[in-house]
Amino acid sequence: DNSGVAILGYIENGNNHDLSDILPAKTGNWFVKYARNENAVILTNFTAIFEYKNNNFKEIASSTGSNEFSIFENESTVAVFDYSSENVRIDNILEYRDGELVKIAVNTGNEIKLIRKPIENFITPHPYFHLLIKYDTNGLQQLQFDDHTISAGIIDKDSTLWLGTEEGLIKVIDNGFETYKREYLPVVWSMVEDNKQHIWFASYNFGIRKYDGKNITEFETEIVKKYASGFNFQAQTNGRGKMYFPNNRGIFYTDGKAIGKFGKSLSLATYYDLTNDLLYSGCNGYIEVYDKNHHLLKVIDANSGLGFTGFISSFGSDSAGNIWFGGFSCVSKYRPETGKIE
């Protein structure tokens, strides 16, 4: 919390369960991941790794020297970086398996070498080292992108991962990585795939561009300027070919040919609810909700129970149909069927 006191808990069926008392250290930052196949929660405070399972809490690893830990999860397990911030180097990668950490890769001095096969394929960024690490049938691969900030990412219909950065685009493919430099795709802030499997890229100062699998083209620059400026994050599609790009003048939309705009408020991010055919737009302290014909249906704000200060800058959804709002001050869960905010 704001005073630096560490808090641990979870919400189940609308009820909050506070586990703060079991934390070995009551202050500072803790990071938590969930190992689904093991039904265990893995935590770190940088200097140690802990397991919480079956109401038992135990330490399963501690750092050596000045090294620290960071953790990430994939579909079935949790992996751990053992790294030295002092030497700016990842020394080991470990994987959580049945109550213990198993070393799967080591730094040989020239590369990070795989010594055991992970439980499953994974791909993860390590933002501290500007490093992307991938494991699949081709083995362990890594991409260094110094001074690149990842600002957007999507997985397309072919299960290809695209990462937008301040210095261009990274496409993660089966046998490695492809990069598109800044002169072709400068400062990618959001990405969306259309029905033809073309990837569209929006940039705050550089408009909209499209990649058709062969060429990158700039989209109707002078026309777009009449409707929009300063494209922001999390472009969306309605699943029927129409794409939405949040920007400083509202929401710009196109199907690749026809174009238009709606809304007057600066929109930092959008989310399309395919189930209910609604578009959510994140504004400064409130959210606008539009129907499929771009009519404003309602505004979710403080009067609705939204406790945000500043912009709503990201959206997500879970398997239960809840929509999550993220922003400059907090995270909220929204139930579309009831309008309830938590």
Side-chain angles (χ1 to χ4, degrees), residues 226-247:
K226 296 179 181 179
Y227 295 91
S229 66
F231 288 100
N232 295 310
F233 307 103
Q234 218 169 335
Q236 295 284 288
T237 175
N238 66 357
R240 299 185 296 274
K242 190 172 290 184
M243 296 168 289
Y244 299 92
F245 297 88
N247 66 91

Side-chain angles (χ1 to χ4, degrees), residues 285-326:
Y286 62 94
I287 295 166
E288 296 177 336
V289 184
Y290 294 88
D291 66 15
K292 64 180 180 180
N293 297 313
H294 310 154
H295 298 139
L296 180 63
L297 292 182
K298 60 182 174 181
V299 174
I300 303 172
D301 57 13
N303 294 325
S304 312
L306 188 66
F308 270 81
T309 301
F311 278 93
I312 288 81
S313 55
S314 63
F315 293 90
S317 60
D318 60 30
S319 58
N322 301 307
I323 299 174
W324 292 78
F325 311 144

Side-chain angles (χ1 to χ4, degrees), residues 6-60:
I7 298 172
L8 176 66
Y10 66 94
I11 296 173
E12 183 178 36
N13 298 324
N15 298 314
N16 180 52
H17 300 266
D18 190 350
L19 302 176
S20 301
D21 288 344
I22 70 174
L23 284 173
K26 309 300 183 185
T27 60
N29 295 318
W30 284 84
F31 295 89
V32 182
K33 297 294 182 181
Y34 180 51
R36 292 171 178 83
N37 283 4
E38 299 287 347
N39 197 30
V41 176
I42 311 303
L43 308 92
T44 185
N45 62 347
F46 296 116
T47 60
I49 300 289
F50 299 86
E51 173 200 60
Y52 178 73
K53 184 178 181 181
N54 299 327
N55 293 321
N56 293 315
F57 198 89
K58 69 175 183 179
E59 181 178 327
I60 56 176

Side-chain angles (χ1 to χ4, degrees), residues 53-122:
K53 184 178 181 181
N54 299 327
N55 293 321
N56 293 315
F57 198 89
K58 69 175 183 179
E59 181 178 327
I60 56 176
S62 59
S63 62
T64 58
S66 61
N67 274 26
E68 297 179 344
F69 291 121
S70 62
I71 54 179
F72 69 91
E73 65 183 302
N74 56 17
E75 192 59 32
S76 64
T77 189
V78 171
V80 176
F81 286 120
D82 173 16
Y83 68 94
S84 168
S85 55
E86 183 178 311
N87 297 318
V88 194
R89 181 188 67 224
I90 295 173
D91 288 331
N92 304 290
I93 301 178
L94 307 101
E95 188 172 47
Y96 172 78
R97 298 183 185 180
D98 193 24
E100 64 178 356
L101 291 178
V102 177
K103 191 178 295 185
I104 60 172
V106 298
N107 193 327
T108 65
N110 298 317
E111 62 176 346
I112 299 175
K113 183 179 180 181
L114 196 71
I115 59 173
R116 288 184 181 87
K117 184 179 179 181
I119 291 176
E120 68 170 25
N121 296 352
F122 65 80

Side-chain angles (χ1 to χ4, degrees), residues 186-254:
V187 193
V188 178
W189 274 26
S190 69
M191 296 181 280
V192 65
E193 183 180 15
D194 67 17
N195 286 0
K196 297 179 181 178
Q197 292 187 272
H198 299 160
I199 309 295
W200 294 68
F201 309 91
S203 178
Y204 188 81
N205 289 318
F206 300 95
I208 297 174
R209 304 189 187 197
K210 179 183 74 172
Y211 177 64
D212 63 6
K214 295 181 180 179
N215 301 305
I216 297 171
T217 56
E218 195 165 359
F219 180 69
E220 310 270 5
T221 303
E222 294 304 316
I223 297 176
V224 170
K225 285 181 179 179
K226 296 179 181 179
Y227 295 91
S229 66
F231 288 100
N232 295 310
F233 307 103
Q234 218 169 335
Q236 295 284 288
T237 175
N238 66 357
R240 299 185 296 274
K242 190 172 290 184
M243 296 168 289
Y244 299 92
F245 297 88
N247 66 91
N248 289 353
R249 291 164 58 189
I251 300 170
F252 173 81
Y253 67 88
T254 181

